[in-house]
Amino acid sequence: MCCGGAAKTHQLNLVDACAHRVAWRCSEQTCRASSLKRGQDSPRSKTMCTDRRDFLKLSAGIAGATLLGSGVSFADTADVDRFQERQDTPDLIQRLRRMTAGIVPITVEERHARIAKAQQLMGEQKIDAIYIEPGSSMFYLTGMRWGTSERMFALVIPQRGDLAWVCPKFEEERARELIKFGTDIRTWEEDESPYRRVAQIIRDRGIRSGRIGMEERVRFFLFDGIRQEAPKLEFVSAIPITAGCRMFKSPAELALMQRANDITIVAYRATWNTMRQGMPQDEFARNCATAFRNLGVQGGVFCSFGKYTAFPHGSSTPQVLNEGDVVLMDGGCSVEGYQSDITRTFVFGKPTQRQRDIWNLERRSQDAGFAAAKVGAPCEAVDAAARKVITDAGFGPGYKVPGLPHRTGHGIGLDGHEWTNFVKGNKTPIQPGMCFSDEPTVVIYGEFGIRLEDCLYITDSGPKFFTNQSPSIDKPFG
């Protein structure tokens, strides 16, 4: 939600903001921020971030954690076997069955088309080649999943010609098993320079000088090594290429995201039905993680109770569920790599009139954001519309609390948070194929917070939600 970054006009900081790790940075002299659309500047959408689940885990420095820091409760499917040793799984969760039948993965043909589009965009942006590390963009283009380490494993896609890979020599056989696109695999021994291999690939494509796009998550030491081996090249951001492809989802991608959203609602509804007086928040989160596992996917959730629901990403204070508490659950799952991201907020027991009024205000704000997501409108218009409902009710203004302290939504796809954002200052026009979260929040520290989050996709005729919105505080799942 609130882990997006902003780029200055003449200096682009590409940062994995959620994990607080600098990916790479290019100065005014070597790299100017490129817009996603020619001639347009969208200053708030330059940095793609990990999703909220990764943020919550990484912020504690551990993976798959149930308790982060001193108590931010998060659980995902990687933890389920350990959980089940510690407690009996509720029967309702245990009865859930897989919802993965009929899922159609992205085809080889579609990935070929993606590579061709990337090369077309390179021509339009006057970029001669792009360099990509393992991660979502590599997977998007080639279907390759590979971990990152201090050893370079990389993909180079030229504007013209065949793509090429750089791989440690001792990993070559495994790489050849997994690589489905391209046959040019340049290996390097432990005492050799992988940066030289990249420079050779670029020279072999006839590029002696020109512009090389660096995918935004490329770590600085890799960029720096390549730059030293190829000093005549200019290095720029590859975001106009990666975002220019990935922001616009195909029907196959939308189908996978639809399934992820459908599964998430089933897992949430089942978890909601397991609430009990005195339940620790980690038990609630474990129940949801187990539900996702039984439904056949990887997924997770974080939850907050009572006054701690006002903390957008949870509090470090351990919490136990009591009658009358507001409950906030936020998370999702992955289907063939495509993410869902849904938040539901409700009350354990009978809501007070105050809770009901703020919940209804939040729902009106979410509705206003959705109505503003018209084809051709700037992304910032959605934030303005949702925020106006909350400020007109006497909250804020701007990001002040009590009120809405963060942007209204983020892009979503292979990453839970990706290009582009519903945020003030983002002039990027809304276009068919884009996908976003719609998630204003009303934060009232010392009382509670209400967030309703559903993701939407843009059609030729306007926005459509993947999920039915929460109809009421009493019946959050209808």
Side-chain angles (χ1 to χ4, degrees), residues 113-129:
R114 293 172 177 182
I115 294 170
K117 181 178 178 180
Q119 291 176 315
Q120 175 190 336
L121 291 174
M122 284 184 235
E124 294 173 3
Q125 296 289 331
K126 295 181 169 49
I127 292 176
D128 297 285

Side-chain angles (χ1 to χ4, degrees), residues 9-313:
T9 304
H10 296 302
Q11 181 172 325
L12 182 59
N13 292 326
L14 297 177
V15 180
D16 188 349
C18 292
H20 308 293
R21 296 177 302 196
V22 176
W24 68 291
R25 178 175 181 166
C26 45
S27 68
E28 177 177 352
Q29 289 74 28
T30 59
C31 177
R32 294 182 181 268
S34 299
S35 63
L36 297 182
K37 298 292 288 181
R38 287 170 293 179
Q40 294 169 338
D41 183 28
S42 52
R44 304 258 175 197
S45 61
K46 301 298 184 184
T47 301
M48 186 179 66
C49 194
T50 53
D51 65 23
R52 207 150 30 225
R53 281 160 275 162
D54 289 338
F55 166 67
L56 290 167
K57 288 189 282 187
L58 290 168
S59 64
I62 53 178
T66 306
L67 295 179
L68 301 186
S70 301
V72 178
S73 191
F74 175 89
D76 67 17
T77 44
D79 304 315
V80 167
D81 290 338
R82 177 166 53 84
F83 296 160
Q84 301 217 73
E85 294 174 2
R86 295 169 50 188
Q87 71 162 34
D88 292 330
T89 303
D91 186 60
L92 179 65
I93 303 291
Q94 200 74 273
R95 292 200 307 268
L96 294 173
R97 294 295 178 261
R98 297 174 67 87
M99 289 180 59
T100 54
I103 289 173
V104 179
I106 300 299
T107 64
V108 170
E109 291 75 20
E110 181 160 334
R111 294 198 197 276
H112 275 300
R114 293 172 177 182
I115 294 170
K117 181 178 178 180
Q119 291 176 315
Q120 175 190 336
L121 291 174
M122 284 184 235
E124 294 173 3
Q125 296 289 331
K126 295 181 169 49
I127 292 176
D128 297 285
I130 58 174
Y131 174 92
I132 298 175
E133 267 213 88
S136 297
S137 289
M138 181 180 285
F139 177 73
Y140 174 86
L141 291 163
T142 69
M144 167 62 86
R145 291 288 197 193
W146 193 278
T148 57
S149 72
E150 76 282 6
R151 295 183 174 96
M152 179 193 289
F153 183 92
L155 170 67
V156 178
I157 302 179
Q159 183 194 133
R160 292 181 296 274
D162 296 331
L163 56 79
W165 301 85
V166 180
C167 173
K169 177 63 178 176
F170 74 93
E171 295 276 27
E172 180 180 3
E173 296 309 311
R174 182 165 73 100
R176 289 189 181 278
E177 286 182 341
L178 298 172
I179 290 172
K180 306 301 181 187
F181 296 85
T183 58
D184 187 354
I185 302 173
R186 309 289 177 97
T187 62
W188 54 280
E189 298 286 8
E190 295 281 63
D191 61 343
E192 295 177 333
S193 168
Y195 314 115
R196 192 164 298 165
R197 297 292 186 270
V198 176
Q200 289 169 346
I201 289 169
I202 293 170
R203 283 195 299 271
D204 289 348
R205 268 67 181 169
I207 304 168
R208 297 293 185 270
S209 63
R211 304 171 80 226
I212 305 301
M214 304 297 284
E215 195 263 343
E216 76 214 65
R217 291 194 175 179
V218 172
R219 292 165 292 170
F220 179 81
F221 77 92
L222 296 170
F223 159 65
D224 191 47
I226 296 167
R227 178 174 59 177
Q228 292 183 43
E229 281 290 337
K232 293 183 179 180
L233 298 174
E234 177 186 2
F235 293 91
V236 299
S237 170
I239 289 178
I241 313 306
T242 52
C245 289
R246 288 178 52 192
M247 274 199 337
F248 306 100
K249 274 63 178 183
S250 69
E253 291 176 285
L254 293 175
L256 294 171
M257 294 177 70
Q258 184 65 64
R259 184 66 66 92
N261 279 271
D262 293 345
I263 291 171
T264 299
I265 290 295
V266 172
Y268 276 22
R269 183 194 294 270
T271 305
W272 170 62
N273 277 300
T274 68
M275 290 190 298
R276 61 175 179 81
Q277 177 69 27
M279 171 184 271
Q281 61 183 148
D282 63 321
E283 180 183 330
F284 183 95
R286 291 199 306 263
N287 286 346
C288 194
T290 305
F292 278 123
R293 204 272 299 266
N294 291 347
L295 290 165
V297 296
Q298 293 184 336
V301 69
F302 87 87
C303 64
S304 299
F305 299 156
K307 65 181 181 180
Y308 300 107
T309 55
F311 292 57
H313 285 162

